[in-house]
Amino acid sequence: MHLRIASVNAASGRDLASGAVDSFVLTTAVAALDADVVAVQEVDHLLPRSARADQTALLAQATGSTGRFVATVHGTPGTPQGFYPADATVVEEPSYGIALLSRLPVLEWHEERMAPGRAKLPLPVPGAGLRWIPDEPRAVVAAVVETAIGPVSVLGTHLSFSPLRSVAQLRAVRRFAESLPRPLVLLGDLNLPPGVVHRVLPWRPLVTGPTFPAPAPKVQLDHALADGLPDSVRVTARIEQVGGSDHRGVVVDLSFD
């Protein structure tokens, strides 16, 4: 059995070079990965800046998948008063968050939200330069997918840009995953380098190499980690540009004997 999984920081479909948001370019690029399960971060849902597109629905349609969007904030993130924490995903509410897409049958969905930290950090905002931005709530979403070898759990997340908070959230992800079937793969932008990730979560790294910033990557922030994966599974992986995102995507092929 062959399983291809991928993680993409969509950056809302914004092109790093031009600053233009184009959901078609994003969905075309993700579909070209031809992955069975894709974790997507920084996904817009009905926001004005992305022409009020439901990006999860567009991604699901382009990839032939079932999609699950988990809102972390309602409103437009990156502005001091333009968003507020999402306690739940509301279909008709303009929001921002993460998504998980699966071409395989999904046996179970699970999700959990994680509170933001108190930190504010200077982050680049398109058209506004550096601004002090408050931390956002985060989330993790899991799909237990049906495969020829039985259930496989695939998780997607996007952790805080505040290192202390992202470490705490990674520990929360580990607790969240305890009851899920193995083998299990965690995908996402963890906002942490490999050394820190391994100390907090000593799962098997499936891909290594810098992913950020996309034009000339210097650090790996985007990860694929496995727990309970048999040693006999053959793993091949690559890191590649996906659309115009400021992060490179990770793609992992798992071959089960």
Side-chain angles (χ1 to χ4, degrees):
M1 186 198 80
H2 175 263
L3 178 65
R4 175 173 289 173
I5 56 177
S7 178
V8 176
N9 184 315
S12 304
R14 179 180 294 105
D15 184 88
L16 179 62
S18 68
V21 175
D22 192 326
S23 294
F24 177 77
V25 171
L26 168 64
T27 56
T28 301
V30 173
L33 300 177
D34 193 27
D36 298 299
V37 185
V38 188
V40 192
Q41 304 90 52
E42 298 192 14
V43 178
D44 281 6
H45 180 79
L46 309 183
L47 292 180
R49 68 182 180 189
S50 47
R52 301 194 184 278
D54 179 345
Q55 290 185 335
T56 302
L58 294 176
L59 286 163
Q61 182 179 29
T63 57
S65 301
T66 299
R68 178 91 161 205
F69 172 70
V70 179
T72 53
V73 301
H74 296 315
T76 302
T79 57
Q81 298 172 335
F83 64 96
Y84 59 95
D87 295 328
T89 302
V90 182
V91 173
E92 66 275 13
E93 183 77 19
S95 306
Y96 170 84
I98 61 173
L100 195 61
L101 313 168
S102 176
R103 296 193 305 205
L104 300 173
V106 178
L107 302 174
E108 302 172 14
W109 288 102
H110 302 271
E111 62 184 65
E112 183 169 289
R113 287 170 172 77
M114 297 174 283
R118 298 179 180 178
K120 290 186 178 182
L121 291 180
L123 297 177
V125 176
L130 284 177
R131 296 184 63 176
W132 287 89
I133 301 299
D135 196 12
E136 303 163 8
R138 305 289 170 161
V140 55
V141 58
V144 180
V145 299
E146 183 179 4
T147 76
I149 63 159
V152 175
S153 301
V154 184
L155 286 66
T157 193
H158 183 196
L159 302 185
S160 172
F161 53 69
S162 170
L164 290 177
R165 192 63 187 163
S166 56
V167 165
Q169 289 168 346
L170 191 56
R171 293 193 178 104
V173 169
R174 183 176 186 175
R175 293 191 296 271
F176 168 81
E178 286 177 354
S179 61
L180 295 175
R182 266 55 176 179
L184 175 149
V185 179
L186 170 65
L187 303 165
D189 174 2
L190 305 184
N191 271 319
L192 292 168
V196 177
V197 169
H198 183 72
R199 286 196 293 274
V200 178
L201 190 64
W203 292 350
R204 177 182 175 183
L206 301 179
V207 59
T208 56
T211 64
F212 181 85
K218 295 179 175 60
V219 62
Q220 182 174 1
L221 301 180
D222 305 85
H223 299 265
L225 306 167
D227 189 44
L229 193 68
D231 292 337
S232 59
V233 175
R234 297 188 304 278
V235 179
T236 57
R238 66 183 191 271
I239 296 170
E240 65 178 76
Q241 183 69 54
V242 182
S245 175
D246 56 342
H247 288 245
R248 295 197 178 189
V250 300
V251 183
V252 179
D253 288 286
L254 303 174
S255 298
F256 296 78
D257 294 328

